[in-house]
Amino acid sequence: MQFTKWHGLGNDFVIVNGMKEHIADYHKQAVAVCDRNFGIGADGLVVLLQSDIADFRMRIFNSDGSEADMCGNATRCVARYLYENKITNKTVITLDTLAGIITPELIFQDGVLATVKVDMGEPRLKRSEIPLVGDAQEQVIHAPLEVDGELYHITCVSMGNPHCVIFVDDVAKVNLSAIGPKIENHPQFPKKTNVEFIQIIDRQTIRMRVWERGAGITQACGTGASAALVAAVLNGYTDRQATVRLDGGNLWLEWANNNHIYKSGPAVEVFRGEYLL
């Protein structure tokens, strides 16, 4: 199987052109491929396929074999991969995902790729849309959540996948590997959830650490950064444009007047090769 390895701020993916390569079981293969000791090593396996409703279809499988609805960092990597490998000559590409149509745009300055900007779509805020148990129409903003006897205040957002955002004074003091899986699997979240701990630096700067549903601690999360900005605005902490500082680097986010979230950041190819199925 021919593959290429990419990352967006350290959030890394094995990308496979599924229009040429055949994988019998995506879920099983994702676990094997993503293993950092016995496989290639990645947070996820991304398979590109033909689509009847967009330029391409993008399927994303987490390192535990579960399928993700969407991934912002993977989207940037896929856009650059498709363009640089001449699979498309478009600089604005539509991708069919489980979260709907996502549109990344390659931004050039003086003929050199400067960044990849992704229209992440509109945030969804009702319990039924995220989803959370409880009143279907209710928004979850600074709501109490008890975990192992400790009380957290959560703001929940869906960016095509569920996010639980928690504001803290110092993200460095959060034991993410201990608390992350407990919130991910909390019974309040029927489809589990991604978990973001957020420290507000100023009205244009957010520091974030993330526990991703199905992948654990990752260096960056594009949908998580989008959810973090939405949560920060809803709680009155930041403006509608901000830099989100992640463990792997920075993303620039804007919650525009059309209610869409726009995210810009890098996408880097690490290596390519042949994986023995």
Side-chain angles (χ1 to χ4, degrees):
M1 180 183 77
Q2 297 294 323
F3 74 91
T4 179
K5 172 79 178 287
W6 289 72
H7 77 87
L9 300 179
N11 190 196
D12 55 347
F13 309 94
V14 171
I15 298 178
V16 174
N17 183 347
M19 296 171 283
K20 290 185 175 181
E21 306 290 340
H22 174 70
I23 300 175
D25 187 330
Y26 293 135
H27 304 275
K28 182 179 179 180
Q29 204 62 65
V31 174
V33 163
C34 292
D35 191 292
R36 297 190 185 275
N37 297 112
F38 297 100
I40 298 166
D43 293 322
L45 169 67
V46 180
V47 183
L48 300 178
L49 301 162
Q50 292 180 335
S51 172
D52 295 329
I53 59 173
D55 294 324
F56 301 94
R57 184 182 180 196
M58 179 176 71
R59 295 188 69 182
I60 307 159
F61 299 88
N62 296 313
S63 57
D64 70 351
S66 61
E67 186 166 5
D69 300 287
M70 223 291 279
C71 175
N73 288 320
T75 299
R76 297 199 314 278
C77 294
V78 163
R80 188 170 182 181
Y81 164 80
L82 289 167
Y83 183 82
E84 293 190 348
N85 285 276
K86 302 187 185 333
I87 301 172
T88 183
N89 60 4
K90 295 182 177 180
T91 57
V92 179
I93 304 166
T94 56
L95 298 175
D96 175 10
T97 77
L98 291 179
I101 304 297
I102 302 298
T103 308
E105 179 181 1
L106 300 167
I107 306 296
F108 293 85
Q109 292 180 357
D110 300 322
V112 177
L113 181 68
T115 190
V116 183
K117 180 179 180 180
V118 182
D119 180 348
M120 301 291 289
E122 298 185 70
R124 302 160 200 175
L125 302 176
K126 296 177 182 178
R127 281 183 179 266
S128 59
E129 297 172 326
I130 295 169
L132 278 83
V133 298
D135 184 346
Q137 299 302 308
E138 183 183 53
Q139 295 186 4
V140 183
I141 302 173
H142 196 67
L145 180 74
E146 186 175 333
V147 183
D148 282 355
E150 187 167 352
L151 187 64
Y152 296 87
H153 285 89
I154 63 173
T155 298
C156 295
V157 181
S158 173
M159 292 302 307
N161 55 357
H163 294 272
C164 174
V165 179
I166 300 169
F167 295 94
V168 295
D169 293 332
D170 187 351
V171 293
K173 294 181 178 179
V174 176
N175 188 347
L176 195 54
S177 61
I179 190 61
K182 293 179 181 179
I183 298 177
E184 175 192 0
N185 295 284
H186 195 282
Q188 276 283 313
F189 303 97
K191 293 187 177 180
K192 302 186 180 183
T193 188
N194 299 280
V195 186
E196 288 82 25
F197 283 89
I198 306 299
Q199 177 182 344
I200 301 299
I201 307 301
D202 56 44
R203 292 198 64 82
Q204 290 82 35
T205 313
I206 296 168
R207 174 73 175 99
M208 171 180 136
R209 295 182 66 208
V210 59
W211 175 275
E212 288 201 52
R213 179 183 62 167
I217 296 174
T218 60
Q219 296 293 302
C221 177
T223 56
S226 303
L229 176 64
V230 172
V233 171
L234 291 175
N235 283 277
Y237 294 141
T238 68
D239 300 334
R240 295 175 71 95
Q241 298 181 3
T243 297
V244 180
R245 297 179 181 171
L246 302 119
D247 289 347
N250 296 343
L251 290 172
W252 186 84
L253 277 296
E254 178 186 9
W255 190 1
N257 291 333
N258 64 359
N259 201 37
H260 284 232
I261 303 293
Y262 295 91
K263 172 184 64 65
S264 300
V268 179
E269 185 176 24
V270 182
F271 61 87
R272 62 187 69 177
E274 186 175 76
Y275 178 79
L276 304 179
L277 293 170

